[in-house]
Amino acid sequence: MMKKGIWIPIVVLIALGGGVAMAFALNGSDDIALTDDFTSSFLDPEVETDDGFHYFQSEKNNFSMWFPAGYYIEDDPVRYESKDHFEFLNIYEEETTTSKDRGYTGYIQLTYENNVSEHEAKIQLQILLEDLGFNDQYEELQTENATIYYGSSYYTLEGKRGVTYDPATHSANQYFALVQSHDAKEFITVDYRILCDDYESCEVNNERESRFFDTLIQSIRFQK
């Protein structure tokens, strides 16, 4: 198992993300995050974020994060759930001219849980590794707000069999993270997948997607 631990203030990490801001900037009037009534109800335009993101507060005030422009939350009881100790969101990127030119769209699944144990968090991390990782590889990052376990892999179908490859040799098309509060009583799992328009394969901008995912998970704050 590859494991690397470092501690860097969140402000520095976001700064290192650099060009992510302009890369994801959209015209506000065309941004589905703002025009979709359900999605926009969670956003606060008064709170400053990088361009291309909006400030998001969960329904039960369990957590906040930077919500990506161009994405919307599915308002469906099967795909959205909000309780005091559990929240579940499916977040989709809208198909636009830009995404069509790129050849793919993004999909994010996020789950929040509190009143949990460290053992439960370890089980969830193992599930993420089995579903989205490569050979149990992940990295560990300590920030002032949380401990983040994260990784990525490239998944494809070869015949009828699903095969996972090392992201060091193939551009990743799936990313995962477990963001855990320092008291280990809360955690959030994030599953980010890249969906090719032709449902087969497409050329992924690895640097862009990696920075996007890093910015997303590093922006998460626990509120309780």
Side-chain angles (χ1 to χ4, degrees):
M1 178 182 295
M2 181 179 71
K3 190 171 179 182
K4 181 170 63 178
I6 56 177
W7 191 95
I8 304 176
I10 189 70
V11 174
V12 176
L13 289 167
I14 297 301
L16 290 174
V20 72
M22 293 307 297
F24 299 103
L26 293 176
N27 185 316
S29 63
D30 299 326
D31 185 355
I32 193 170
L34 300 177
T35 59
D36 179 75
D37 288 341
F38 185 68
T39 305
S40 63
S41 68
F42 300 98
L43 307 181
D44 185 349
E46 299 301 316
V47 179
E48 185 177 356
T49 66
D50 278 359
D51 289 340
F53 290 90
H54 310 287
Y55 182 80
F56 170 95
Q57 190 80 37
S58 74
E59 182 177 338
K60 298 300 183 182
N61 197 34
N62 288 313
F63 67 95
S64 66
M65 68 178 186
W66 289 6
F67 189 91
Y71 281 70
Y72 64 95
I73 302 170
E74 184 68 33
D75 182 13
D76 184 311
V78 177
R79 296 182 174 88
Y80 175 82
E81 185 175 350
S82 181
K83 297 180 179 179
D84 287 337
H85 303 304
F86 178 84
E87 298 197 57
F88 176 68
L89 292 76
N90 281 275
I91 305 169
Y92 299 87
E93 183 178 13
E94 182 186 32
E95 287 190 11
T96 61
T97 301
T98 300
S99 70
K100 288 179 180 178
D101 290 344
R102 199 172 64 218
Y104 60 84
T105 54
Y107 161 65
I108 302 166
Q109 188 173 86
L110 185 150
T111 303
Y112 165 88
E113 294 186 56
N114 66 25
N115 289 341
V116 295
S117 66
E118 285 196 64
H119 178 67
E120 289 173 290
K122 289 179 180 178
I123 291 175
Q124 287 301 316
L125 177 58
Q126 192 56 46
I127 291 172
L128 289 173
L129 289 169
E130 291 174 359
D131 290 346
L132 302 168
F134 174 76
N135 286 353
D136 283 347
Q137 293 182 4
Y138 70 93
E139 296 189 56
E140 179 179 340
L141 175 66
Q142 295 283 346
T143 75
E144 62 233 64
N145 304 291
T147 302
I148 304 175
Y149 307 92
Y150 66 101
S152 62
S153 66
Y154 175 80
Y155 177 85
T156 188
L157 286 175
E158 295 184 354
K160 295 183 178 180
R161 186 171 68 96
V163 181
T164 303
Y165 287 99
D166 189 342
T169 58
H170 295 71
S171 292
N173 58 9
Q174 51 185 22
Y175 294 77
F176 66 88
L178 186 144
V179 183
Q180 185 178 36
S181 62
H182 284 315
D183 64 8
K185 293 181 179 180
E186 302 172 271
F187 68 76
I188 289 174
T189 60
V190 186
D191 169 351
Y192 173 52
R193 305 193 191 210
I194 293 167
L195 309 176
C196 298
D197 292 345
D198 59 8
Y199 298 101
E200 293 183 4
S201 62
C202 52
E203 186 174 345
V204 176
N205 185 327
N206 194 57
E207 182 178 359
R208 176 190 188 277
E209 301 309 328
S210 179
R211 288 184 176 180
F212 169 77
F213 187 68
D214 287 349
T215 301
L216 179 70
I217 61 177
Q218 292 166 20
S219 73
I220 290 173
R221 300 287 188 278
F222 296 101
Q223 303 296 306
K224 295 184 177 180

